[in-house]
Each structure stands twice: as C-alpha cells, then as structure tokens.
Amino acid sequence: MTVMIAQADGVMTLTLSRLDKKNALSAQMYQQLSQALQQASADPQCRVVLLTGGPDCFCAGNDLADFLAGGSLNHEHPTVQFLHVLSQFDKPLIAAVAGLAIGIGTTALLHCDLVYATADARFQMPFTSLGLCPEAASSLLLPKLVGYQRAAQYLLLGEAFDGGQAHQMGLVNEVVAAADLLALARQKARQLAALPAAAVQQSKRLLKQPLQQQIQHVLHQELAEFEQLLHSEECKTALKRFFQR
C-alpha cells in the first residue's frame, strides 16, 4: 500500500508511503485516499483524519507520467474524484507537513482544518512553469486566505515558500520542530476526537458552508482549463523538459 492507514482513539491516520517517488501521488494513491476519506466519513468511530507523509517529504505533487496516462479529467478520473471527496469531507482533517509540499501537496492543505509544519517545509505551486493552471479550487481559496498579491506571487510566479512564511500568511497553524511534528498533530487530533462529534462536525459545516457551492463551481472550471492547457504546445514542451530532467 502506498497510503498507510491506521486508526486509534477516534483518529484515522493516512500516511503517504511512496518515498522512492517523494510521495508523488499516483492514480492508485488518489483512489486509496478517496476510499479512506469516504470510509472515515461513514464510520462513527472515526472522528478525525490526520494526513502526513515522511519525515523529509510530505508530497511532491502529481506523478505526472501516471496522471497523463489517466485519460480525460472527467468524474471517473482518480484525481478528480479525490478533489471532490476532499473538498466535501465532513469531519476534521489535520495535516502534518515536513519537507516538500509541491502542487497538490500544497493546494490540498487549503481544504484541511488544521495544518502543522516544520520550519524547513518547502511549499510550491509551479503550475505555470508546466504550462498549466491552478487546481483544487486554489484559485479561489488561496487569494481568500492570503490576499490577491501573495496568491499571484505563488500561483503565477510559482515561487516557493517555507514553513515560517506559510505560518505568517495563515496557511499553517503552527511551526513545529521536526521531532515534535507528528506528536503535536496527533495531540490536536485526539483533542478534537474527544469533543462531542456532532458539535464539531456541525461547526465545520458552518465554517465551510458559505464557500462550498463556489468551491465546487471553481473545481469544475479549473479542471476544464487544466485539461485544455494539457493539450497546448507550451504545456507539451514544458512537460518534455520536466521528464528530461
């Protein structure tokens, strides 16, 4: 399994475990993550989900070769399914981030409720350098979180930023020493799991509700633009250079 699943004390922990590929997400991993989140949503014993990766790498983004082999970005595509499941997940979702968090490794965090990271975590959304556009409703959620100019800096220029900068702009709740990262994330997860479940879930629903319809609309819009750009000569050239590296 490239996504390890463990459950204890009301917390389901999902650990990305494809370190030889820097936890780049394959179609299989997207399917495993979607199924795990759906299972967590349906299981009354599961109250919180904690998402993490390795000590040196959270997620290096899409496995591009695998992604390109996946066909049209319709409702059957594993990536598309995951984005919809993630954006509508109804229980608290916590992320613990160390090392690389590239592309979807950053944009997925916009759907998490709490995010903890190490100071040297490296976030980046290099879509334009690949001839592509934002995904995961990041074109909506990032400007709302950090302001338009900063969002343009990270989505248009694709500049990287570290854990301290992510904390300063509000993407990360707390910067933690690497040795303490998982322990703190687990403590917060158990703390949430110990609270009345209905109250927590309804509170999350109320927090998310004002943007939910807009998020689903933007997800569709981004995916349509993304697929169109995939077939452009600029994108094909950029991807060729990427694979040559």
Side-chain angles (χ1 to χ4, degrees), residues 156-176:
L156 299 185
L157 288 172
E159 292 184 357
F161 53 98
D162 62 22
Q165 292 168 300
H167 178 247
Q168 184 184 38
M169 71 179 77
L171 178 63
V172 164
N173 291 83
E174 193 171 337
V175 174
V176 189

Side-chain angles (χ1 to χ4, degrees), residues 97-115:
V97 182
L100 294 177
I102 309 297
I104 188 70
T106 293
T107 59
L109 302 177
L110 295 166
H111 299 278
C112 294
D113 303 292
L114 297 169
V115 180

Side-chain angles (χ1 to χ4, degrees), residues 106-136:
T106 293
T107 59
L109 302 177
L110 295 166
H111 299 278
C112 294
D113 303 292
L114 297 169
V115 180
Y116 302 97
T118 58
D120 61 354
R122 183 175 182 271
F123 304 87
Q124 191 173 18
M125 295 165 283
F127 302 115
T128 55
S129 66
L130 294 172
L132 296 168
C133 66
E135 34 80 324

Side-chain angles (χ1 to χ4, degrees), residues 185-200:
R186 285 173 176 150
Q187 175 200 326
K188 298 294 185 180
R190 287 194 296 268
Q191 186 178 336
L192 271 174
L195 294 170
V200 171

Side-chain angles (χ1 to χ4, degrees), residues 79-101:
T79 305
V80 176
Q81 291 178 345
F82 170 72
L83 291 176
H84 285 289
V85 171
L86 174 69
S87 65
Q88 298 177 72
F89 185 62
D90 57 351
K91 294 182 179 179
L93 180 59
I94 299 175
V97 182
L100 294 177

